[in-house]
Amino acid sequence: MVGFYLLMLGVSGNSFGQDASGLVTLEDYIALARQNNSEIRAAFENWQAKRYRAGYAGALPNPELSFGHFVEPIQTRVGPQENRFGIRQSLPWFGTLGAKKDMAKFDAARQEQSYEAAYLRVVFNVKRAYYDYYLLGREIELTDANIALLKYWEAVIETRYTTGKASQSDFIQTQIKRSLLENRRDELLDGIEPMRQRIRSLLNIETSDSLPFPTQVDDVDFAITFDTAWAAVSKNNPDINAALAMIEASRAQGRLAGKASLPNMMVGVDYLQTGPAIDPTMPGSGTDPWSINVGLSLPIWLGANKAKKNEARASLHAAQQQHIGEQNRVRTEVANIYGDIESARRTVELYRETIIPQTRQLLDVVFAGYESGSEDIQALLSAQRQLLEAQFAYEEARVKLAVSIAMMESLMGGHKVMSIQTRSEQ
């Protein structure tokens, strides 16, 4: 489990405030978020609090120590009784403490799943921010490359204009196109700092260091069926597992409510401090007597006991329905994400294998035609625009695929799609 992994790491508050040095790969981002993110830390501490509570929930109640002083001592044959000391221990009915401990144990298990969900949610948000940052960098890079290409067109057109093979409008149209792209690049550059701040917030770091753009998004071959994906999700999803833990806690609550109509026992010892008798020669003068006490509570409030049982029964039914609701909700989410993955995968393949090669070929053909005079500048600029748009669409599809797979892995409880693929192929 992620939680025990963090425990083995020995994560402490001293890890907060690390800088951004060394942040290169996605794994670097995730590792720093695991140490620093405040949402993860808060969920972790809440889980620990529930674990500690489970450690004492099944303990006996504290014994009661009492003291009594006789303002008017009771005279007895062996002397006056002056003080009374007593100690009593309540003993709940058999199984009561076990039911309380089970309730706390399953409540801690539910909180662990809440921690797992918080951890996975933060990891997904880190991945999405990382991929969005990668896309921003690629868009800037592609825009710069196209601006450089337009500058090259301008030089070509200027040369052709001096020889009378191109018109002044060709040159002006190219400059207009370049100005628009430069404005687009400036808009993209304006988005760098907000994106970096988004990442800093997720990693809980305060630094003025610039974060380098990610240079690669791994393409994962998502070749598993919906049934295989759902099997992994239904087994490992923290929301579903939290609902299961709630069912078990409600069952323990039912067992505890069933004990409400049974008496609790009480055992105790009383010690009476006795002064010397009036006649000091009296046998047993000043002897201090003591006694053993045994008692039972009387669960006579039948209405209250019945209400406790009804409450526990209703809580169990609610937990069972919540589990069904979580399964249905998550299954719908898996279906939607599965569709997004398949759509993005086809789009990536289409642009990589067909659209981009064809638009590059088109640009080469149109440029050759422009040089020979068979194509005009509009066709050339249109071909370049199509290639730029195809490159943008390709990178967006790659990021959409990576984000969708990251979301699926989050629903799977953090299990990698590649590991699920390996198991499904065996």
Side-chain angles (χ1 to χ4, degrees), residues 6 29 44 51 82 105 114 152 214 228 239 297 306 310:
L6 271 187
Y29 281 67
F44 179 79
R51 289 182 65 243
E82 300 172 343
K105 180 180 70 174
S114 296
Y152 171 73
T228 301
D239 291 334
S297 65
K306 182 179 179 181
N310 290 337

Side-chain angles (χ1 to χ4, degrees), residues 206-249:
E206 295 181 2
T207 176
S208 59
D209 296 344
S210 60
L211 297 171
F213 283 114
T215 59
Q216 184 60 38
V217 170
D218 294 332
D219 294 323
V220 178
D221 182 18
F222 190 81
I224 61 177
T225 65
F226 173 81
D227 290 340
T228 301
W230 170 242
V233 170
S234 61
K235 178 181 179 182
N236 301 301
N237 183 265
D239 291 334
I240 293 177
N241 289 337
L244 286 173
M246 182 59 72
I247 290 175
E248 295 303 321

Side-chain angles (χ1 to χ4, degrees), residues 27-329:
E27 288 70 23
D28 296 332
Y29 281 67
I30 294 174
L32 191 55
R34 181 169 56 229
Q35 294 178 352
N36 282 9
N37 184 269
S38 56
E39 183 180 354
I40 292 177
R41 293 296 309 180
F44 179 79
E45 296 301 338
N46 283 333
W47 170 40
Q48 295 308 294
K50 295 294 185 181
R51 289 182 65 243
Y52 293 135
R53 181 181 179 185
Y56 69 80
L60 285 169
N62 290 326
E64 297 179 3
L65 181 65
S66 62
F67 167 77
H69 174 70
F70 296 100
V71 178
E72 291 290 338
I74 299 175
Q75 294 294 334
T76 67
R77 180 178 61 84
V78 295
Q81 294 181 345
E82 300 172 343
N83 298 302
R84 180 182 60 80
F85 300 90
I87 185 170
R88 288 173 175 77
Q89 175 67 60
S90 177
L91 299 174
W93 194 262
F94 303 104
T96 300
L97 296 179
K100 287 184 176 180
K101 186 174 182 63
D102 285 345
M103 282 184 63
K105 180 180 70 174
F106 287 115
D107 190 32
R110 182 188 60 81
Q111 189 62 48
E112 180 186 4
Q113 294 303 316
S114 296
Y115 161 70
E116 297 283 350
Y119 171 79
L120 294 171
R121 183 167 54 251
V122 170
V123 168
F124 169 71
N125 288 333
V126 168
K127 289 181 179 180
R128 183 168 58 182
Y130 178 90
Y131 295 141
D132 288 345
Y133 194 37
Y134 162 83
L135 181 60
L136 178 61
R138 283 293 290 146
E139 288 181 338
I140 293 173
E141 183 180 357
L142 290 170
T143 303
D144 283 338
N146 276 267
I147 290 173
L149 186 58
L150 281 171
K151 289 180 179 179
Y152 171 73
W153 296 154
E154 289 178 11
V156 171
I157 293 170
E158 188 175 14
T159 301
R160 289 171 59 82
Y161 176 69
T162 58
T163 61
K165 295 181 179 180
S167 65
Q168 187 177 8
S169 66
D170 290 352
F171 187 76
I172 295 174
Q173 290 182 66
T174 307
Q175 286 185 318
I176 292 173
K177 180 65 175 177
R178 178 163 64 87
S179 296
L180 291 173
L181 277 181
E182 287 174 344
N183 182 67
R184 171 60 178 160
R185 180 191 58 189
D186 290 340
E187 291 177 348
L188 293 171
L189 292 175
D190 290 339
I192 292 178
E193 187 54 35
M195 180 63 71
R196 287 175 176 170
Q197 185 54 47
R198 174 182 165 190
I199 293 172
R200 293 189 193 106
S201 296
L202 285 168
L203 305 184
N204 195 21
I205 56 176
E206 295 181 2
T207 176
S208 59
D209 296 344
S210 60
L211 297 171
F213 283 114
T215 59
Q216 184 60 38
V217 170
D218 294 332
D219 294 323
V220 178
D221 182 18
F222 190 81
I224 61 177
T225 65
F226 173 81
D227 290 340
T228 301
W230 170 242
V233 170
S234 61
K235 178 181 179 182
N236 301 301
N237 183 265
D239 291 334
I240 293 177
N241 289 337
L244 286 173
M246 182 59 72
I247 290 175
E248 295 303 321
S250 297
R251 286 175 175 156
Q253 181 186 2
R255 294 199 300 273
L256 182 61
K259 307 295 182 181
S261 57
L262 298 173
N264 292 330
M265 295 175 288
M266 183 177 295
V267 296
V269 175
D270 283 338
Y271 172 79
L272 294 173
Q273 189 176 42
T274 305
I278 297 176
D279 181 2
T281 62
M282 176 68 68
S285 174
T287 300
D288 298 332
W290 59 280
S291 64
I292 297 177
N293 302 311
V294 178
L296 291 175
S297 65
L298 300 177
I300 61 175
W301 310 117
L302 301 181
N305 296 335
K306 182 179 179 181
K308 290 179 181 179
K309 295 176 183 178
N310 290 337
E311 177 190 12
R313 189 179 302 110
S315 295
L316 176 59
H317 292 163
Q320 291 170 335
Q321 292 303 313
Q322 183 177 355
H323 176 244
I324 294 172
E326 284 296 326
Q327 283 187 312
N328 291 334
R329 180 188 66 81

Side-chain angles (χ1 to χ4, degrees), residues 5-21:
Y5 176 60
L6 271 187
L7 284 176
M8 289 189 291
L9 284 178
V11 177
S12 68
N14 295 332
S15 63
F16 283 85
Q18 294 187 7
D19 59 30
S21 61

Side-chain angles (χ1 to χ4, degrees), residues 348-360:
V348 167
E349 184 177 354
L350 174 64
Y351 275 91
R352 183 180 61 234
E353 304 297 332
T354 304
I355 302 298
I356 290 180
Q358 287 179 346
T359 52
R360 282 176 177 161

